[in-house]
Structures are given as structure tokens and as C-alpha cells.
Amino acid sequence: IWNEYVELYNYGDQPVDVYGWWIADIGESGTPDMLVSWTQRNPYVALPSSLTLNSTVIPPKGFALILSPIYAEGSIPYFMPYAIPANTVILTPAESRTLGDDYFSLVGSGQGRDVLVLYQGGPSVIRTVVSTYGSPKLDSYANKIRDDYLDNLPLALHECSSAERIDPLKPDIFDNWREIANGTPGDAPYP
């Protein structure tokens, strides 16, 4: 719960405001989460001052991390283990206590692991899909998002690993994802 994150990268040449965008990880008991700035949800929970905590605007060629609102509450060894680069925008769900599925968070296992969908719309209706992970079967309704079972996505990751899109401009297909040991939040080899 504490160490999970979703990383967003703005590969464009203009800033992108993601306020009010939604992330859906529909597993056993998932509900979509609206994205807000860290300080909007957690005004009294401090994170390093080098991070961008009060904005939902991702600068060009910049990163944002979506963290659980209880990220800073973890006890050792879970307490804020990442060295997040300066100026990374920190986002969190507006209402949920966890990031992703309400029961398992982002971790899923077995056939049909949880997929992620970043979209514009509302808690139940998807107006525009912005990005996906896991090549999901999409629908206009967020609660109908499911794994399509047609490939090996989402990746079956090892402990403390993350999935990274190799080329952010290429689609959500198996050959465009790789496993990264120990994760690299806020840092990737993109130009």
C-alpha cells in the first residue's frame, strides 16, 4: 500500500493539468479515483519540500507520481523509501485510502491481473481514455473495465519491481513494457 505508485510522464512541449482526471484499477473491489494535488488531500502531511505538492500541472518533459494518501504513514521499512527527484509533481486520490483497488491496492495476481486506465470523465463514465496499462478491454463505463486476457499484460512483477513503458509514444502492448527492479519513480530514460 505505502510503496505503490503510478508514474505519469508529460512527453509533450506544453504543461498538462490533470486535475479532475480519473484513474481506474478495477479488480475485486475497485472504484475509480479522481486525481488531486497532494496538499489538497493531505494539507498537514509533509513530504520533501523539493517536490511539487500543491499543483496538478505536469510540466513539459516532467513527471508526476500518484501516491496513496497514506504513503507517509508507513512504518520502517515502508516509510517513504523512494528518492524522488526534485520538482516531481505529487498527486493522490481525492477520496480513497489506497491507490487502486480498494482491497488489494495496485497489486493483482493470477490470470486477469488488474489493469489501469487513466481517463477524463467521472466516477462511472469514461469520456476520453488518456492512457492504459495492461491492454484492458475498455467500455464507456469505468466499472466494466477488465483485462482482455489476450496477452501477458499486466506484467507479473517481482517484489519491489515496477513496470515501465519503454516508449511513451507507443501503444500499451507487451513489447512496449519492461520490468524495472526497485522502481525508479520520477525518473526514466525518456528524452
Side-chain angles (χ1 to χ4, degrees), residues 1-166:
I1 293 174
W2 295 281
N3 299 335
E4 294 181 332
Y5 63 90
V6 173
E7 179 180 76
L8 305 178
Y9 176 67
N10 178 2
Y11 55 82
D13 57 3
Q14 298 295 316
V16 174
D17 190 352
V18 299
Y19 179 80
W21 288 16
W22 294 78
I23 188 164
D25 166 29
I26 308 299
E28 293 297 316
S29 57
T31 55
D33 294 310
M34 188 176 82
L35 300 180
V36 297
S37 72
W38 180 263
T39 55
Q40 180 176 340
R41 171 73 188 268
N42 297 308
Y44 305 109
V45 179
L47 292 179
S49 61
S50 62
L51 304 175
T52 302
L53 304 174
N54 60 355
S55 176
T56 56
V57 177
I58 306 172
K61 311 296 185 228
F63 288 93
L65 290 182
I66 307 169
L67 300 175
S68 163
I70 62 171
Y71 173 74
E73 296 176 22
S75 58
I76 294 175
Y78 306 110
F79 183 70
M80 296 190 280
Y82 296 118
I84 302 170
N87 302 315
T88 301
V89 176
I90 306 299
L91 308 169
T92 195
E95 295 184 16
S96 296
R97 183 160 165 76
T98 62
L99 182 60
D101 184 300
D102 297 337
Y103 186 74
F104 292 107
S105 292
L106 292 176
V107 176
S109 62
Q111 186 180 26
R113 291 179 295 273
D114 295 353
V115 295
L116 292 173
V117 178
L118 180 66
Y119 70 93
Q120 296 170 326
S124 58
V125 176
I126 297 174
R127 191 174 68 245
T128 305
V129 172
V130 177
S131 189
T132 61
Y133 167 64
S135 61
K137 178 181 173 189
L138 297 171
D139 193 277
S140 295
Y141 298 100
N143 66 351
K144 294 190 177 193
I145 297 168
R146 295 289 184 265
D147 189 346
D148 66 6
Y149 300 101
L150 298 176
D151 54 25
N152 290 321
L153 288 175
L155 298 174
L157 300 171
H158 295 89
E159 183 82 18
C160 298
S161 292
S162 64
E164 178 179 84
R165 193 181 297 242
I166 296 168

